[in-house]
Amino acid sequence: MSVKTAVLVSGGGTNLQALIDASRAGKLPHVALSLVLSNRADAYALTRAREAGIPSAVCERAKGEPREAFEARMLEILRAHGVEMLVLAGFMAILSREFVQNYPDRILNVHPSLIPSFCGKGFYGLHVHEAALAYGVKVTGATVHLVNEIPDGGRILLQKAVEIEPGDTPEALQRRVMEQAEWILLPRAAEMVAQELEEKR
Ligand code: GAR
């Protein structure tokens, strides 16, 4: 039995698409894409889930809602779907220590830089690439890591470097990092972790 996996999203969902494509290509034998959970009702990732026939759910954090209440609602949805492993694929919310403890070493995140550069609080999405260009680094990349209570602080699973090119804009760099690193690393890491979980059963 493959590992029931939820992909948590907030936006476009190109990393979700990479997982869907890898699964269709038979590259994720230990991963069952069982649920797409979005904290934004307007995330295009939800359309990708629907088109792929994957069940989806929306759990938005209401204005002023305490994080514990939001996370409790998320947990309820995940448990109802029997989820065993989480993949954060452009999920723009920081999870608490208490939440993470429900899935020890079973939450993966993809981050668009070579951690420990340009990571932690405030470094997400396009901001990461803006910061890399502003600093003037010549090489950036992507990291897939396990999630613990420290933002972008869990054990690194896979990393891949990507060259910065003359005249790069944040958007161009973001696209190159996705194509050359994120979309390759994330399915690979998900399969790696799922296989290990299955062997421990
Ligand atoms: C990706 O570049 C992902 O690495 C990044 O947001 C983008 C989401 O794109 N995540 C973070 O910055 C998390 N700190 P997608 O919705 O098309 O997969």
Side-chain angles (χ1 to χ4, degrees):
M1 270 265 285
S2 43
V3 176
K4 283 194 172 187
T5 302
V7 185
L8 273 58
V9 297
S10 302
T14 64
N15 280 288
L16 165 66
Q17 193 63 51
L19 289 163
I20 293 168
D21 294 347
S23 180
R24 283 198 180 131
K27 292 180 185 163
L28 305 181
H30 298 87
V31 178
L33 296 174
S34 304
L35 178 70
V36 171
L37 179 57
S38 177
N39 68 340
R40 302 232 1 211
D42 62 354
Y44 184 69
L46 290 166
T47 303
R48 297 183 190 271
R50 194 169 53 245
E51 284 172 356
I54 303 170
S56 63
V58 174
C59 186
E60 290 190 315
R61 183 171 174 185
K63 230 181 165 179
E65 182 183 22
R67 185 160 72 172
E68 304 80 63
F70 164 67
E71 290 184 340
R73 291 193 292 114
M74 264 202 314
L75 213 48
E76 202 174 309
I77 297 169
L78 295 169
R79 289 193 172 137
H81 284 81
V83 167
E84 302 166 280
M85 175 173 114
L86 311 187
V87 177
L88 311 187
F91 184 65
M92 302 302 179
I94 292 172
L95 299 169
S96 72
R97 174 196 300 265
E98 291 70 28
F99 180 92
V100 169
Q101 279 169 353
N102 289 285
Y103 297 94
D105 293 342
R106 288 158 182 252
I107 310 179
L108 284 71
N109 180 47
V110 60
H111 183 77
S113 76
L114 293 174
I115 291 175
S117 286
F118 312 116
C119 66
K121 211 164 182 282
F123 287 100
Y124 59 89
L126 213 51
H127 299 308
V128 179
H129 304 291
E130 284 164 0
L133 290 176
Y135 198 96
V137 292
K138 300 296 178 200
V139 174
T140 184
T143 303
V144 179
H145 62 93
L146 290 174
V147 173
N148 64 9
E149 68 283 0
I150 302 159
D152 299 323
R155 181 160 66 83
I156 290 173
L157 298 172
L158 295 173
Q159 281 188 312
K160 191 167 185 288
V162 174
E163 302 261 329
I164 287 175
E165 290 180 7
D168 257 345
T169 59
E171 291 79 7
L173 182 57
Q174 179 180 51
R175 181 76 193 180
R176 189 172 328 109
V177 168
M178 285 174 159
E179 282 175 358
Q180 294 186 6
E182 295 185 50
W183 300 341
I184 300 164
L185 296 188
L186 188 60
R188 204 177 278 169
E191 174 58 19
M192 211 167 82
V193 172
Q195 185 171 2
E196 278 170 21
L197 288 178
E198 237 190 66
E199 281 162 8
K200 277 194 231 151
R201 272 186 187 148

